[in-house]
Amino acid sequence: MHVAIIGAGPRGLVELQRLVEWQRQTKRFERLQVTVIDPYGVGGRVWQIDQPHALLMNTNPNNVTLFADHTDQITGPIVTGPDLYDWTQRDARDFIVEHAPAQSAALLAEIAEIRPNGFASRSLYGAYAAWFYAYVLKSLPDSVTVRLVQEEVRAVTPQDGQYVVATAGPTLLADKVVMSLGHTEDELSPEQHELARFAQEYGLHYVTPTHPQEYDFTAIKAHATVILRGLGLNFFDAVTLLTQGRGGRYFRGDDGLLQYQPSGREPQIVAGSRRGFPLRAKGVYTTAESDFVGQFVNMDWINSFTEPGSLSGKELLQRVQREIEYAYYQVLLPERYPDADAAALLANFAETGRSDHLIEVANVRPEDQFNFDEQLNPEKKYPYSDQRDVMLAYLTDDVRTAQRGTKEGPTAAALEVLRDIRNDIRAIVERRLLSGDDYYHYILSTFKRADGYLAVGPPDTRIEELRALVQAGVVTILGPEMAVSFDTQAGRFKTWSKTYPQTQYFADCLVEARLPAINAETTINPLIRSLFDQQLAHPQAIDVEGDAKKTGAVAIDPVRSQLRPGTVASQGIFFWGVPTERENWFTTTSPHPDLPDTVIKGADRITAQIFGTVE
């Protein structure tokens, strides 16, 4: 049996270990050969050791692993091992010293100070991935061979019950293929084509959506104005590279607030987005994820729905909002209203699904009441956000909210619910419990926007740094409804806020500060295009009000990770990961320890099919 794994990021590495451990336990094949193919090598494109060390993960190191554990709902063997944090305390130093990667000194300094609920560098996770790969290879059964091919896969073609895997270098013949892909580049949109054409004509610098570790800012001169479109995770990475990456440093002022000392080599950064506010900081993690038990959204409730389309999207979002409110008041009442009978009031809330009784009996002040609309639309609380003092006030509040932590901070605890219920939402999506209409309108539109803003933000330290940069005048945040265009008379890009259009900014550099969109129809990835050309793969479409709406995902069976609608020719191909986002829910996370993990479960399901234990 020859299995080709395309992609050596976390999913590909987990799949590799699943194959090895299944073979060790079952001895199913006389010989098992596994070829891992990735042009970037172990860690894939995102988790390279030699990327700028200042770039951070946005998940705590004690919440990241590549190993299965006894909480995982899998049928295959469980071989436990250290999570990222435990690895830094046990094996990391020896591995880094022995292999001496380019950033050894920085990595060794990092592991000496890392906290379990802090945030590791992405290069450290890359080192963990490299160690994991070496760990798997060190104890291979005699019947297993593994090799790594650092090439891009151009096509996979069925041939006589096997698959020809064509790369830019060697061509392989495999019995099964597991495609574990990440974000891929897209064709430029009409607007991006125009911006690129303008940049070329006038000698400007235009950066299309890409991975932040690949940004090349060498052409950007000190004090030049740079426009960053987007206030998400890529924005923070770009800002880090243009400030710390150019020698700037942070220090504590006499007032205890973080301040920025410029190096003199920074550009002037102007940034914005539709909302006009950066993603919310992640709350300092002080509770265990496995401790969460939903009052309104939980597996008992989900299991009461057995038919596809039987769950109301409106009811689901109402329950999510109640779950968030419940978590908020669970922390708020003991802290600020100690005379209230919190247990009784929360029990009433859980039973009735209404918070008004709790608010009335505890006499919760208006400013202490949870306001979901205000959380989603911060401009309502912070109008005139284009003014520096207003943005500073918002960022200061966000830092304080995050640093109070998920155990003692009511708002941080409330927003943490969006991460706690991810497995519940995944189960709903996998089982197709929502109708096409409800899934499209309530989940892919309303909920995804809220979750993307409130629950996938940067470490609190990044917001604190941004506050210092805004105060120092290095970064300017536009108000809501950012607009970008170009001025042929000036020969420069320009940007402004449609909400506050009185001020316009001109620049020679425009950066699309975001990853490429997940869109199967516009991807330029040659492997995915080849699958479409051969009719082996198709874009996902869902029925919305009688119309087939494309979601951007590659259509798969989310349980079996096989291409839909499926043919005899595609039966040996398994496809999972980021390009299936919307067929699956939230595919961009690495495996988590100490709770049932979908990456571990997905890899085990694929392996069970390869080993012939699933029909």
Side-chain angles (χ1 to χ4, degrees), residues 291-525:
D291 290 343
F292 178 81
V293 178
Q295 298 292 326
F296 304 97
V297 180
N298 52 57
M299 289 309 301
D300 286 343
W301 173 68
I302 293 169
N303 289 336
S304 69
F305 299 91
T306 57
E307 296 297 321
S310 58
L311 172 59
S312 161
K314 182 178 181 180
E315 180 186 358
L316 173 60
L317 291 200
Q318 287 173 341
R319 282 176 171 264
V320 169
Q321 186 164 342
R322 290 172 196 152
E323 201 74 77
I324 291 170
E325 282 191 84
Y326 185 93
Y328 176 84
Y329 290 115
Q330 190 175 33
V331 176
L332 178 83
L333 292 180
E335 180 201 16
R336 298 187 192 173
Y337 300 89
D339 294 335
D341 187 345
L345 292 173
L346 289 166
N348 177 269
F349 185 6
E351 182 180 353
T352 65
R354 296 177 62 89
S355 60
D356 49 359
H357 174 74
L358 177 153
I359 292 169
E360 180 182 353
V361 172
N363 196 24
V364 179
R365 294 181 291 273
E367 64 270 21
D368 284 341
Q369 295 173 23
F370 187 79
N371 188 324
F372 199 68
D373 183 50
E374 206 171 76
Q375 295 292 331
L376 285 174
N377 302 287
E379 182 75 16
K380 293 185 176 182
K381 185 177 180 180
Y382 294 95
Y384 307 106
S385 59
D386 61 324
Q387 298 179 13
R388 182 182 298 180
D389 288 347
V390 175
M391 182 53 64
L392 286 173
Y394 167 79
L395 294 171
T396 300
D397 181 58
D398 193 32
V399 170
R400 288 174 178 167
T401 296
Q403 291 183 347
R404 292 197 66 192
T406 57
K407 187 175 182 179
E408 298 180 357
T411 301
L415 300 185
E416 188 65 25
V417 167
L418 290 167
R419 289 182 280 275
D420 288 329
I421 64 172
R422 277 179 187 158
N423 275 352
D424 300 306
I425 302 297
R426 286 176 176 129
I428 290 168
V429 172
E430 181 180 289
R431 299 178 190 183
R432 304 294 194 257
L433 294 180
L434 297 169
S435 68
D437 287 359
D438 279 10
Y439 183 51
Y440 187 82
H441 292 299
Y442 287 104
I443 299 299
L444 296 185
S445 298
T446 304
F447 182 71
K448 192 171 183 67
R449 283 197 299 268
D451 184 70
Y453 173 59
L454 298 174
V456 296
D460 59 291
T461 53
R462 286 295 192 235
I463 298 294
E464 194 173 17
E465 290 166 0
L466 179 59
R467 185 199 177 282
L469 291 167
V470 170
Q471 186 174 41
V474 176
V475 175
T476 298
I477 306 292
L478 300 170
E481 298 298 323
M482 180 190 196
V484 169
S485 185
F486 49 80
D487 188 312
T488 54
Q489 187 172 359
R492 307 183 78 194
F493 296 114
K494 66 178 180 180
T495 188
W496 68 97
S497 161
K498 292 181 181 178
T499 305
Y500 307 110
Q502 62 273 18
T503 304
Q504 293 188 348
Y505 297 86
F506 293 82
D508 293 336
C509 179
L510 168 62
V511 179
E512 303 286 8
R514 59 186 184 275
L515 289 170
I518 301 169
N519 193 329
E521 293 189 285
T522 61
T523 182
I524 59 175
N525 178 271

Side-chain angles (χ1 to χ4, degrees), residues 29 49 526:
F29 305 111
I49 302 177

